[in-house]
Amino acid sequence: MGIGLPEFLSIELATEHPQVIPISVFIVILCLCLVIGHLLEENRWVNESITAIAVGAVSGTVILLISKGKSSHILVFDEELFFIYLLPPIIFNAGFQVKKKKFFHNFLTIMSFGVIGVFISTTIISFGTWWLFPKLGFKGLTARDYLAIGTIFSSTDTVCTLQILHQDETPLLYSLVFGEGVVNDATSVVLFNAVQKIHFESINGLTALRVFGNFLYLFSTSTLLGIGVGLVTSFVLKTLYFGRHSTTRELAIMVLMAYLSYMLAELFSLSGILTVFFCGVLMSHYASYNVTESSRITSRHVFAMLSFISETFIFLYVGTDALDFTKWKTSSLSVGGTLEVSGVITTLVLLGRAAFVFPLSVLTNLMNRNTQRSESLTFKHQVIICWAGLMRGAVSIALAFKQFTYSGVTTDPLNAAMVTNTIVVVLFTTLVFGFLTKPLVNYLLPHDESSQNTGNSRCKQSAPGSPKEDATLPLLSFDESTSTNLSRAKDSLTLLIEQPVYTIHRYWRKFDDTYMRPVFGGPRPVNQPEC
Amino acid sequence: MGIGLPEFLSIELATEHPQVIPISVFIVILCLCLVIGHLLEENRWVNESITAIAVGAVSGTVILLISKGKSSHILVFDEELFFIYLLPPIIFNAGFQVKKKKFFHNFLTIMSFGVIGVFISTTIISFGTWWLFPKLGFKGLTARDYLAIGTIFSSTDTVCTLQILHQDETPLLYSLVFGEGVVNDATSVVLFNAVQKIHFESINGLTALRVFGNFLYLFSTSTLLGIGVGLVTSFVLKTLYFGRHSTTRELAIMVLMAYLSYMLAELFSLSGILTVFFCGVLMSHYASYNVTESSRITSRHVFAMLSFISETFIFLYVGTDALDFTKWKTSSLSVGGTLEVSGVITTLVLLGRAAFVFPLSVLTNLMNRNTQRSESLTFKHQVIICWAGLMRGAVSIALAFKQFTYSGVTTDPLNAAMVTNTIVVVLFTTLVFGFLTKPLVNYLLPHDESSQNTGNSRCKQSAPGSPKEDATLPLLSFDESTSTNLSRAKDSLTLLIEQPVYTIHRYWRKFDDTYMRPVFGGPRPVNQPEC
């Protein structure tokens, strides 16, 4: 979404700085969005995304009328602006605000939904479109296009559902939906980039394996880079203690380093999303304890604000873009054809989602059955998880623009058709599914019942030092008798087999408290684990 | 300072996003600057600006070596980026953080220094350069150029001195230097723009009057626009109370509206600097009381951080730009000639500064003699005020680029010479005068003595309800007997004549408490005036 100036607006006054008018108009609309979003907060149906899209569509119409049908845009889409300026704050904020304990407790489940899920969904959507598009008379797309379409429509937008779920009432559900949302975005983008690297001329049996290898390489290196930058920042902040002189410097360092992690990842052609996400996790885990109280408060709000503005900006853009008649005219499809194709995509999105949520949920419940945990995913939860991932949003739009346009412009009818299809799908899923989310969640999880359905009540009941928390103790007490230690070691070995994630998490906690926190910062280790 | 990519750096990896490399390099250098600045905080000679310029020069040299003498730049100068993205946060922050009470107490003095001072300084520098440049063999500049040079070198950079003065120890001095710095920047830019509008073909006796009229128009409308946007923001924040749902929205609104005020001013060809400054003053006076506690803390730090990053960025750029050999080669002057011309400019800057600081200080002291205030500007204070305004900084650079280049590039030898001269003057004043500032201030105002020299001690002694503060009382007590009121009214009339600014300030306070604050927000009116 670069800065472009519609001809009709270029009045003499602002000739010196041509960006001034579109920036002003966009800021006014953004403010309008904020105010309307605030006024509709209590509303049963509407959420932030829907408000932004609606305000975007209305302003698009106004601009269309003023320009006499020439243009509905204030800004010209520029996927570079999206990937370099708008996406990093959103993802970094996700990492920075994530409830790390819950996230890592449910790590395996989240990863299976976020990674395996995207692979399954991409496969179903790619094959489905490849099989069905020609039958609808929509022909001419290449194999790369179909694979790209698969990844484009596998990235979900869970913001809408997260606004409705209550983190305190349904912590397991919330952390799964939140965690999957982030991992899913990262996986989709990484997979999209992996698809771009396939040489379709020399395709053979190894190609799938190579894509997967490429994916693993990108995934691990990006994660490591994010962790590295996060640790360096924490170390620098802890060692130099900027707060002695000014909290401004602390803040500046945090913001700049966060952004640098993304830029470095892009520089080395890694996945900036993953890097900046893990950088955010590390920073909130270590760095935020090394700064002054006011820096801690400020950083949290700054990242939240940047993320909020970026998100609103993107949905606003989607709203104005829906009225871009140039693309509709260029498109090879009629309006009816577009609706048919979009319908097919939406159906495939539904199928692709259901195809992995329910089997993987059953698998998760099976894995958890052996453990002492009572937190299992009920069918209602599974429906909500499935539903939460039906919305398509900013990442889909950005990837579609990246695949099918050159800086937001395309003259190819096929590509224009795919862009309009993406916009229709995003609009439909966000508006229709988005509207239904609040009623659905309220129906499935009435406020009174919800806290009993989840593991939350159990967590609230269990005092600090509940059975599972005690699993840390064996390793913390080195000065006890050998026999006690031995029997405890046996216990913890048994636990490791029965509750792999939980036990690994305990070991990690110990390692963290003993080696990491003294170097990189953090709250003083407490023996009383939080609930 | 737009984003440009030196050829040698455009390795294959980052072809997709050409901005990635320069942004990464610049962020790394910025972080380096922050760390070095922090480590040298306690140092007797060095300040932020000098650190940034030095780091910039070193990185410029490194890039020069890597590129084998081709380029010393990471970023290409773009005055648009400066005026649209870097300057607004700096000025807004100045307005937001200004100690309003002190600022408005000394309003007349600040305005006379900031406005009349710039006029005197511009006149001296313009005539001086017009008279002396041809004698040095530097010919060919137009009348407009000479006037522009006058305004370019009349904008001061007081950041360096402000870092050294102690706001608590020398509040009068601090508020004068700070206030003059802001008003001076605004006046220079407004005057620069007024000079651009002169039609030199039809110049006559009315031209000077027209420039002054234009200046007054710009000054008043810009101020009103800033006040308007500030009031609207405060009103919206107070009425809607965003904090009920999220502090993120509050923050977003404040940041967006602040930026909008600047953009609107630019849109209507007013002075964005003045607008955004007064918008900042109004927002901190009203709006910041309408938001949640965390938003208040966050907003203060966010604006400080943005301003800090922008300033560092600019000085870094000046550092790298000093090594731009293309400009040196294009310049019509030899190195010796440049030093001569720069020497003349620096001398004129000194003269122009002294020519108004001392007379205006004497005038201020005369005006204050009749009042009960003991705060007069001692000769030491006058020397410090004069010194504080000797440094030239970012605004000079930006105006010079605006006058003499087209997006940072010039092929005209005369223009290139003026750009290099500006850079030399900025470097010389910032480095040499900057180095001497700390020792000078410490010599003139030793820590023990300083608080006695200023009005501060008196202010500290006077309990709430000191004589001058009582001047508000007459108007606050409507229910007293008429005779008392009459005699008090007489008193306050006498005060109005003797202490015009103070009494106006009292009336304003009353108006503010009665009418403004209930509508636009603020702390509950207290009868105990703060010291």
Side-chain angles (χ1 to χ4, degrees):
Chain A
M1 283 143 270
I3 308 303
L5 186 69
E7 242 176 291
F8 66 97
L9 276 174
S10 52
I11 47 176
E12 189 240 355
L13 281 173
T15 41
E16 216 178 329
H17 300 303
Q19 299 110 317
V20 166
I21 295 176
I23 292 181
S24 305
V25 174
F26 222 87
I27 293 179
V28 170
I29 299 177
L30 259 177
C31 288
L32 216 65
C33 243
L34 291 185
V35 172
I36 295 174
H38 168 77
L39 294 175
L40 293 176
E41 181 83 86
E42 249 68 302
N43 187 289
R44 188 180 157 76
W45 305 88
V46 172
N47 61 51
E48 295 283 346
S49 324
I50 295 178
T51 313
I53 288 183
V55 172
V58 171
S59 13
T61 315
V62 172
I63 296 171
L64 205 63
L65 290 176
I66 296 176
S67 68
K68 287 167 196 140
K70 266 190 209 160
S71 162
S72 74
H73 278 109
I74 315 153
L75 301 177
V76 175
F77 187 91
D78 178 355
E79 51 104 355
E80 216 157 64
L81 189 72
F82 175 80
F83 278 105
I84 291 192
Y85 300 106
L86 297 177
L87 197 56
I90 298 179
I91 306 289
F92 180 84
N93 185 51
F96 199 76
Q97 318 273 358
V98 76
K99 299 273 167 192
K100 290 171 293 301
K101 194 162 282 184
K102 276 283 157 200
F103 182 78
F104 288 109
H105 266 200
N106 303 309
F107 194 69
L108 273 192
T109 315
I110 289 173
M111 290 310 272
S112 64
F113 278 119
V115 178
I116 304 175
V118 167
F119 274 87
I120 295 175
S121 167
T122 301
T123 312
I124 289 177
I125 296 173
S126 296
F127 275 95
T129 48
W130 172 75
W131 179 52
L132 290 169
F133 277 8
K135 302 203 173 192
L136 294 169
F138 185 49
K139 291 172 191 169
L141 292 176
T142 63
R144 194 193 300 277
D145 286 336
Y146 284 118
L147 281 177
I149 290 171
T151 61
I152 288 169
F153 290 105
S154 289
S155 91
T156 65
D157 183 25
T158 51
V159 175
C160 162
T161 313
L162 287 176
Q163 284 170 356
I164 292 151
L165 288 180
H166 296 270
Q167 186 157 15
D168 302 323
E169 285 176 9
T170 53
L172 171 67
L173 195 60
Y174 189 93
S175 93
L176 285 187
V177 170
F178 181 94
E180 194 224 322
V182 176
V183 177
N184 168 297
D185 276 356
T187 311
S188 310
V189 176
V190 173
L191 201 57
F192 179 85
N193 289 333
V195 165
Q196 302 301 313
K197 292 211 181 94
I198 300 176
H199 296 286
F200 283 92
E201 311 82 53
S202 58
I203 206 160
N204 57 37
L206 283 173
T207 307
L209 212 68
R210 212 175 284 135
V211 169
F212 190 71
N214 203 337
F215 172 83
L216 279 188
Y217 163 78
L218 283 179
F219 207 94
S220 52
T221 44
S222 306
T223 306
L224 284 178
L225 179 64
I227 293 175
V229 175
L231 287 181
V232 167
T233 313
S234 309
F235 184 74
V236 166
L237 282 173
K238 187 173 166 69
T239 316
L240 297 179
Y241 184 36
F242 288 89
R244 197 171 58 228
H245 294 132
S246 84
T247 61
T248 307
R249 278 212 197 89
E250 287 180 336
L251 272 177
I253 285 274
M254 284 176 88
V255 172
L256 290 175
M257 289 301 281
Y259 194 56
L260 183 64
S261 75
Y262 190 87
M263 285 286 117
L264 284 181
E266 291 291 314
L267 191 63
F268 299 124
S269 297
L270 303 179
S271 162
I273 292 191
L274 270 175
T275 305
V276 85
F277 174 73
F278 279 100
C279 184
V281 171
L282 268 281
M283 275 208 199
S284 83
H285 191 62
Y286 297 117
S288 68
Y289 292 102
N290 302 334
V291 296
T292 58
E293 178 65 21
S294 57
S295 294
R296 186 151 49 245
I297 296 172
T298 307
S299 56
R300 223 181 41 230
H301 287 291
V302 169
F303 296 132
M305 178 194 68
L306 289 176
S307 164
F308 180 71
I309 292 182
S310 300
E311 259 170 25
T312 313
F313 194 101
I314 291 166
F315 280 108
L316 259 182
Y317 180 80
V318 173
T320 58
D321 203 58
L323 294 160
D324 182 5
F325 287 119
T326 348
K327 286 208 187 69
W328 285 90
K329 278 181 208 146
T330 317
S331 170
S332 64
L333 292 167
S334 63
V335 174
T338 305
L339 291 183
E340 271 176 30
V341 170
S342 306
V344 164
I345 295 175
T346 312
T347 316
L348 287 170
V349 162
L350 260 160
L351 281 179
R353 183 84 194 156
F356 74 84
V357 167
F358 296 104
L360 287 179
S361 298
V362 171
L363 208 70
T364 305
N365 283 341
L366 273 179
M367 270 172 63
N368 283 345
R369 204 182 50 177
N370 292 329
T371 69
Q372 296 156 329
R373 301 165 64 205
S374 61
E375 303 177 71
S376 66
L377 292 167
T378 65
F379 184 69
K380 283 178 178 176
H381 287 169
Q382 298 174 20
V383 171
I384 290 178
I385 292 175
C386 185
W387 185 269
L390 288 184
M391 274 66 86
R392 293 295 171 270
V395 175
S396 296
I397 293 276
L399 290 180
F401 271 92
K402 198 171 178 179
Q403 175 74 14
F404 298 111
T405 73
Y406 185 77
S407 291
V409 180
T410 181
T411 49
D412 181 69
L414 270 178
N415 289 345
M418 272 320 296
V419 171
T420 49
N421 282 327
T422 311
I423 291 169
V424 169
V425 171
V426 169
L427 282 179
F428 179 81
T429 54
T430 309
L431 293 178
V432 179
F433 294 162
F435 261 117
L436 296 173
T437 304
K438 263 190 199 179
L440 182 84
V441 171
N442 287 339
Y443 171 73
L444 288 176
L445 298 175
H447 270 244
D448 297 329
E449 197 202 344
S450 59
S451 64
Q452 289 156 23
N453 275 347
T454 68
N456 190 30
S457 54
R458 199 189 142 274
C459 184
K460 270 183 188 148
Q461 283 156 14
S462 68
S466 64
K468 70 171 191 199
E469 303 288 357
D470 274 341
T472 36
L473 280 179
L475 290 152
L476 290 168
S477 52
F478 281 111
D479 47 350
E480 291 185 29
S481 73
T482 326
S483 67
T484 329
N485 270 339
L486 257 178
S487 79
R488 285 199 168 169
K490 218 176 109 192
D491 283 355
S492 75
L493 203 71
T494 321
L495 275 172
L496 185 59
I497 293 159
E498 285 179 351
Q499 309 179 291
V501 180
Y502 272 68
T503 317
I504 290 170
H505 190 239
R506 292 283 159 285
Y507 279 99
W508 157 248
R509 278 289 297 274
K510 192 177 145 37
F511 176 73
D512 192 28
D513 287 343
T514 319
Y515 299 105
M516 301 296 278
R517 291 195 154 157
V519 179
F520 298 109
R524 275 190 294 132
V526 280
N527 285 331
Q528 284 202 338
E530 302 147 50
C531 184
Chain B
M1 282 143 272
I3 307 302
L5 184 69
E7 242 177 292
F8 66 96
L9 276 176
S10 53
I11 46 177
E12 188 241 356
L13 280 173
T15 40
E16 213 178 331
H17 299 303
Q19 298 111 318
V20 166
I21 294 176
I23 293 180
S24 305
V25 174
F26 222 86
I27 293 179
V28 171
I29 299 177
L30 260 177
C31 288
L32 216 66
C33 246
L34 291 185
V35 172
I36 295 175
H38 169 76
L39 294 176
L40 293 176
E41 181 82 65
E42 243 80 289
N43 188 288
R44 190 180 157 76
W45 306 89
V46 172
N47 60 50
E48 296 283 346
S49 325
I50 295 178
T51 313
I53 288 183
V55 171
V58 170
S59 14
T61 316
V62 171
I63 295 171
L64 205 62
L65 290 176
I66 295 176
S67 69
K68 287 168 195 139
K70 266 187 207 160
S71 162
S72 73
H73 279 108
I74 315 153
L75 302 177
V76 175
F77 189 91
D78 177 355
E79 50 104 356
E80 217 158 65
L81 189 72
F82 176 82
F83 279 105
I84 293 193
Y85 299 107
L86 296 177
L87 198 56
I90 298 178
I91 307 291
F92 180 83
N93 185 51
F96 200 77
Q97 317 275 357
V98 75
K99 298 272 165 191
K100 288 170 296 298
K101 192 161 281 182
K102 276 283 155 197
F103 183 79
F104 288 109
H105 267 199
N106 304 309
F107 193 70
L108 273 193
T109 315
I110 289 172
M111 290 311 269
S112 64
F113 278 119
V115 178
I116 305 176
V118 167
F119 275 88
I120 295 176
S121 170
T122 301
T123 315
I124 290 178
I125 296 173
S126 296
F127 276 96
T129 47
W130 172 75
W131 180 52
L132 290 170
F133 276 7
K135 302 204 173 189
L136 292 172
F138 185 50
K139 291 171 190 169
L141 293 175
T142 64
R144 192 194 302 276
D145 287 337
Y146 284 118
L147 281 177
I149 290 170
T151 61
I152 288 169
F153 290 105
S154 289
S155 92
T156 65
D157 182 24
T158 50
V159 175
C160 164
T161 314
L162 287 177
Q163 283 170 356
I164 291 151
L165 289 178
H166 296 270
Q167 186 157 16
D168 302 324
E169 286 177 7
T170 54
L172 171 67
L173 194 60
Y174 189 93
S175 93
L176 285 187
V177 171
F178 181 94
E180 195 225 322
V182 176
V183 178
N184 169 296
D185 275 356
T187 313
S188 310
V189 176
V190 174
L191 202 57
F192 179 86
N193 289 332
V195 165
Q196 304 300 314
K197 293 212 181 93
I198 301 176
H199 295 286
F200 283 92
E201 312 82 53
S202 58
I203 206 158
N204 59 36
L206 281 174
T207 308
L209 212 67
R210 210 174 289 134
V211 169
F212 191 69
N214 202 335
F215 172 83
L216 278 188
Y217 164 76
L218 282 179
F219 207 94
S220 51
T221 43
S222 306
T223 307
L224 284 178
L225 179 63
I227 292 174
V229 175
L231 286 181
V232 166
T233 312
S234 310
F235 184 73
V236 167
L237 282 173
K238 189 175 165 69
T239 317
L240 296 179
Y241 185 36
F242 288 88
R244 197 172 56 228
H245 293 133
S246 85
T247 61
T248 307
R249 278 214 196 86
E250 288 180 338
L251 271 178
I253 284 274
M254 285 176 89
V255 172
L256 290 175
M257 289 300 279
Y259 194 57
L260 183 64
S261 75
Y262 189 88
M263 285 286 116
L264 283 181
E266 291 293 312
L267 190 62
F268 298 124
S269 297
L270 304 178
S271 163
I273 291 190
L274 270 175
T275 306
V276 84
F277 174 75
F278 279 100
C279 183
V281 171
L282 269 279
M283 275 210 200
S284 82
H285 190 62
Y286 296 117
S288 67
Y289 292 102
N290 302 335
V291 295
T292 58
E293 177 66 20
S294 56
S295 294
R296 185 149 53 243
I297 296 173
T298 307
S299 57
R300 223 181 41 229
H301 287 291
V302 169
F303 296 133
M305 178 193 68
L306 290 177
S307 164
F308 180 72
I309 292 182
S310 300
E311 260 170 24
T312 312
F313 194 100
I314 291 166
F315 280 108
L316 258 182
Y317 181 80
V318 173
T320 57
D321 202 60
L323 294 161
D324 182 5
F325 286 118
T326 346
K327 289 210 185 66
W328 284 91
K329 278 181 207 147
T330 317
S331 167
S332 64
L333 291 168
S334 62
V335 175
T338 306
L339 292 182
E340 273 177 29
V341 170
S342 305
V344 164
I345 296 174
T346 312
T347 316
L348 288 170
V349 162
L350 259 160
L351 281 178
R353 184 83 195 158
F356 75 84
V357 168
F358 296 105
L360 288 179
S361 298
V362 172
L363 208 71
T364 305
N365 283 340
L366 274 178
M367 270 173 61
N368 284 346
R369 204 182 49 180
N370 291 330
T371 69
Q372 297 155 327
R373 301 165 65 203
S374 61
E375 304 178 70
S376 65
L377 290 169
T378 65
F379 184 68
K380 283 179 181 177
H381 287 168
Q382 299 173 21
V383 172
I384 289 177
I385 292 175
C386 185
W387 185 269
L390 288 184
M391 272 66 85
R392 293 295 171 272
V395 175
S396 297
I397 293 275
L399 290 179
F401 270 91
K402 197 171 182 180
Q403 176 74 14
F404 298 112
T405 73
Y406 186 76
S407 289
V409 180
T410 180
T411 49
D412 182 71
L414 271 178
N415 289 346
M418 273 318 298
V419 172
T420 51
N421 281 328
T422 311
I423 290 169
V424 169
V425 171
V426 169
L427 280 180
F428 179 81
T429 54
T430 309
L431 292 179
V432 179
F433 294 163
F435 260 116
L436 295 172
T437 305
K438 263 190 199 177
L440 182 86
V441 171
N442 287 338
Y443 171 74
L444 288 175
L445 297 175
H447 269 245
D448 296 330
E449 199 201 346
S450 58
S451 63
Q452 289 156 24
N453 275 348
T454 67
N456 189 30
S457 54
R458 197 189 142 276
C459 183
K460 272 186 186 146
Q461 281 155 17
S462 68
S466 63
K468 69 173 189 194
E469 303 289 356
D470 275 340
T472 36
L473 278 179
L475 290 154
L476 290 167
S477 51
F478 282 110
D479 48 349
E480 292 184 26
S481 72
T482 325
S483 66
T484 329
N485 271 339
L486 257 179
S487 79
R488 288 204 165 164
K490 217 176 109 192
D491 283 353
S492 75
L493 203 69
T494 322
L495 274 173
L496 184 58
I497 294 158
E498 285 180 350
Q499 308 180 287
V501 180
Y502 272 69
T503 318
I504 289 170
H505 191 238
R506 290 286 158 283
Y507 279 98
W508 156 247
R509 278 290 295 273
K510 190 175 149 37
F511 175 74
D512 191 28
D513 287 341
T514 319
Y515 300 104
M516 301 295 276
R517 291 198 154 155
V519 180
F520 298 108
R524 277 188 294 132
V526 280
N527 286 330
Q528 284 203 339
E530 302 146 51
C531 183

